[in-house]
Each structure stands twice: as structure tokens, then as C-alpha cells.
Amino acid sequence: MSSVKAPAGLLLGRPLDPRNNSLNLIRLILALAVLVHHSWPLTGAADEPVFAGETLGGWAVSGFFVISGYLITGSRFSHGLGDYLVHRIARIMPAFIVCLLTMVIFFAPIGYIVARGSLSGYFSTATSPLNFLISNLTLKMNHYDIAGTPLNVPYAGAWNGSLWSLYYEFLCYLVVAALGCFAIFRKSPWFLTLIFAASVVAQANIEVISRYTNGNFDVVLLLKLLPFFLGGAVLFVWKSRIGIHWAPAVASLVVSVLMVSAFPLWGGQASGVLIAYGTLWISTWLPQPRLIAKNDVSYGVYIYAFAFQQLLAVFGGYEWGLVLFSLAAAALTIPTAIASWVWVERPVMRRVRSKDHRPKAAQVEKAVAALPPVQAAAEADTVRTPS
């Protein structure tokens, strides 16, 4: 359990220790779960297991969103709007752009040569490599194929089907950015809790909303994912009053399963706060290797796994069976994710943080020491929350 001392006034448990949790490991597990999920369609396998109508990958993405909701809200409430947006763009965009470039420079040319015997026509065939880059630069994936590839695979015409969720995650960042502009959301946790409740109601009535948005699929996906993100956000704004304790955590996970089973359309979204609470509790006791604690490669795994799976499929890997196919894809993906972290993600974030306008750590610690116990604990946690 966390080594952080419980402040006076905390209703139960202890606050999450931002220096002693396994959230990096949990996110890596979720990214690998998405890889495993994609092995079914990318090998042409049938009968993928589902729970309440959602696949393993779908639930893994939901897990990403609840964790992001908690951490990103911490980033927003400890930064000005400008710094917050710079951090969010720096965290997601450089690695995403490098990934797009890797698609057109490495993956797609190989797939094109295997399918057509040469690169003749590669740069002009729709969707051309340049069009793929330009049309997807805003995170909204408008094209998944490159020059018509991949071809002759069970799931043709998509090199990286995982990238779709990044657009909606960034929209969630913008929602929290906007809410953070109003002092009322910082002063009282109840207002953000009401926003979360409203998002659940919206998801429960998605068919009605779709009629008024002409079935806009962006609205459908955003309202499906936003409650999970806001569930994590709600847990963050209540953290100075509600700590992490095993009993309510286990109860939260049990109630979540019951809610999802009883109400498949919106039970998961309504359980966003409960899922976030249970996940944070797991992070307090799940052992995390020191190397993973210092290096978050989950994003790299998420954005490259699908492409490597498709590359294997191009060479007939879809005939190997689900287990061998998944293991081979993971063996190729993890080193690439490490390279993305070491050469792209970490250097960019270090550069951005060096120009951060918020007070230096020593100044913050000194200021926090002068605060009342409950507020001091909340502020100390906030400034150390990964962003």
C-alpha cells in the first residue's frame, strides 16, 4: 500500500502515492491486451470473447481513458491553460507523427512490394503516402490504407487501426482544458461530478442524440468514451477526501461488473468512477519493475502493434494461430516502443517540462508545507502527478 501519510479529514484509506504505483505497468498491460484483441480480426479468426457486447480491446481502451482522466485532470489543475495544452500536444503528437512517417516509409512499401512486385506507382496510387500523412495529421484518421495496401490479408486496407482512439482522447483533453478555466470546477468536486453524470445520461440516450446529430459517428464515439475519462477526473477531484482502500475498491469492481452486465449500453460508463477507483487500488499493490516505472512505453506499444501485426499478416503470419501471431507481434512491437520512448517521447517531454511556467519543485514543496494538512496533501499529490 502507499507510503503517503493519510492527512486529517480523509474519509478513508490513503491518498495514491504518485511515486509508488504501477500505473505504467497497468497501461502497458492494457496496450498488450489491445494487441491480443486485434489478433482475432487480423488473422481472420472468429468467436472472439466479449463481455456485455464489448471486446477485450474495447475494455482495454476504456481502461486507458479512466487512467488518463485521473492523470490528465491532475495535469490541468496544476498548470495554466497554455502549459497544459503544450504538455498534451507534446505527449501525443510527436510520436504520432513519427508513427505516420514510419507507416509510409517502412510498413507500406514492404506491403506494396510483396503485393505488386515493385514500388512502381506507390507514390501516386490512392491513398498516396503524402495524402495519408496530410489527411491524418490532425489525429482524426481519415485514411487507414496507404496506396491500397495492405493487400491479400484477412483485414485488408488498414495499416494501423489502433490510431482511431487518439482523436477522441485529445477531445477529452480539451473538455478538461475548458472545465479547468472555471474556478468553480477547482473549488468544489460536485460540479465535475455533475458533468460526469450528464455524460452518462447522454450515453444512455445515445439513440435520441444520434437522431439530432444525423447519426454523427464522432458524437457516438466521444459520448461512449468521455464518461470513462470523466470518471477518472471525478476520482481526482475527490482524492483529498476519499483515499484508496481495499474494501471499497473490491466493492467498486464487483459493482462495476454487475452494472455492466445489467445495463450493457451505459453500465460501463456509469461505472467510470468505480473502475478508476479499483484500477488505482490495483496500482498500489501490483509489483512494477523499476525499469517500467521509469519508462512508459505503453503509448509506443499501442501505436505500433497493429502495424506489426499487419506486416506479419502480409508474410502469411495469420496462418500461425492466435498465440504465436500475438507473441511474434509483441516481440517486434516492444523494441520499437522502447525506441519511440527513448528517442521521441521522453526527449520531447523533458524539453517541454524544462520550459514549464509553473513553480519549480522546491518552491512548490515550500509553499505546500505552509498549507493546512488536507489541502497540503492534495496540492503535493497534484504537483507530482505524471503529466
Side-chain angles (χ1 to χ4, degrees):
M1 182 58 80
S2 168
S3 61
V4 175
K5 185 177 180 180
L10 199 64
L11 297 181
L12 77 165
R14 296 178 179 273
L16 179 72
D17 187 345
R19 293 195 182 104
N20 185 26
N21 62 70
S22 57
L23 288 178
N24 276 3
L25 176 60
I26 292 174
R27 286 186 290 196
L28 178 58
I29 292 171
L30 292 175
L32 291 172
V34 172
L35 182 157
V36 172
H37 150 65
H38 284 147
S39 292
W40 266 271
L42 299 189
T43 61
D47 301 323
E48 179 182 2
V50 298
F51 174 58
E54 190 61 86
T55 63
L56 172 65
W59 287 115
V61 170
S62 300
F64 271 122
F65 272 70
V66 297
I67 294 173
S68 289
Y70 182 89
L71 297 178
I72 300 309
T73 303
S75 175
R76 177 64 183 103
F77 283 18
S78 61
H79 289 84
L81 179 60
D83 280 344
Y84 167 81
L85 292 176
V86 169
H87 278 220
R88 302 281 50 84
I89 293 170
R91 186 66 186 95
I92 202 170
M93 285 301 296
F96 172 75
I97 292 171
V98 171
C99 181
L100 293 184
L101 287 169
T102 305
M103 296 297 106
V104 303
I105 294 172
F106 176 72
F107 290 98
I110 293 175
Y112 194 89
I113 291 172
V114 171
R116 302 186 183 277
S118 74
L119 280 177
S120 177
Y122 173 68
F123 293 98
S124 58
T125 301
T127 303
S128 71
L130 185 58
N131 187 26
F132 174 84
L133 288 173
I134 294 173
S135 64
N136 294 331
L137 271 180
T138 61
L139 289 176
K140 178 70 180 296
M141 293 299 294
N142 295 298
H143 297 287
Y144 289 92
D145 73 295
I146 303 173
T149 64
L151 295 167
N152 306 320
V153 294
Y155 198 90
W159 274 111
N160 205 327
S162 295
L163 300 182
W164 69 271
S165 69
L166 302 182
Y167 174 73
Y168 302 98
E169 182 167 356
F170 200 82
L171 290 180
C172 291
Y173 295 170
L174 296 180
V175 170
V176 170
L179 295 179
C181 292
F182 299 94
I184 193 170
F185 289 103
R186 296 172 179 267
K187 292 180 178 179
S188 172
W190 285 108
F191 294 99
L192 189 54
T193 304
L194 290 174
I195 296 294
F196 162 71
S199 73
V200 174
V201 172
Q203 169 61 21
N205 292 277
I206 191 62
E207 292 184 1
V208 175
I209 292 174
S210 291
R211 287 204 297 268
Y212 290 97
T213 58
N214 302 126
N216 189 312
F217 200 52
D218 287 337
V219 174
V220 172
L221 288 178
L222 179 61
L223 291 181
K224 178 180 179 180
L225 295 171
L226 181 61
F228 290 108
F229 191 90
L230 291 179
V234 167
L235 188 59
F236 178 84
V237 297
W238 282 99
K239 68 184 177 60
S240 63
R241 305 184 191 184
I242 302 176
I244 306 300
H245 188 276
W246 72 268
V250 172
S252 293
L253 294 174
V254 170
V255 171
S256 296
V257 172
L258 295 176
M259 286 282 291
V260 171
S261 301
F263 308 102
L265 177 63
W266 53 268
Q269 287 78 5
S271 303
V273 179
L274 303 179
I275 295 172
Y277 190 89
T279 302
L280 292 191
W281 169 69
I282 292 172
S283 80
T284 65
W285 57 259
L286 180 66
Q288 176 173 255
R290 191 176 188 85
L291 193 62
I292 293 178
K294 292 181 174 294
N295 301 278
D296 182 11
V297 300
S298 60
Y299 182 42
V301 170
Y302 185 80
I303 63 177
Y304 282 104
F306 195 106
F308 275 114
Q309 288 175 288
Q310 284 291 61
L311 188 63
L312 289 174
V314 164
F315 288 100
Y318 59 87
E319 298 177 343
W320 300 346
L322 288 169
V323 174
L324 183 57
F325 181 78
S326 298
L327 290 174
L332 293 170
T333 300
I334 291 174
T336 307
I338 294 172
S340 176
W341 170 255
V342 172
W343 292 332
V344 182
E345 300 165 49
R346 186 172 63 184
V348 170
M349 289 307 299
R350 282 178 174 174
R351 176 91 174 163
V352 167
R353 285 173 179 148
S354 71
K355 298 181 180 296
D356 202 331
H357 292 100
R358 68 179 178 172
K360 299 298 182 184
Q363 295 173 311
V364 172
E365 295 289 349
K366 185 176 180 180
V368 165
L371 294 173
V374 175
Q375 187 181 356
E379 293 298 326
D381 194 8
T382 298
V383 298
R384 296 173 187 143
T385 298
S387 59

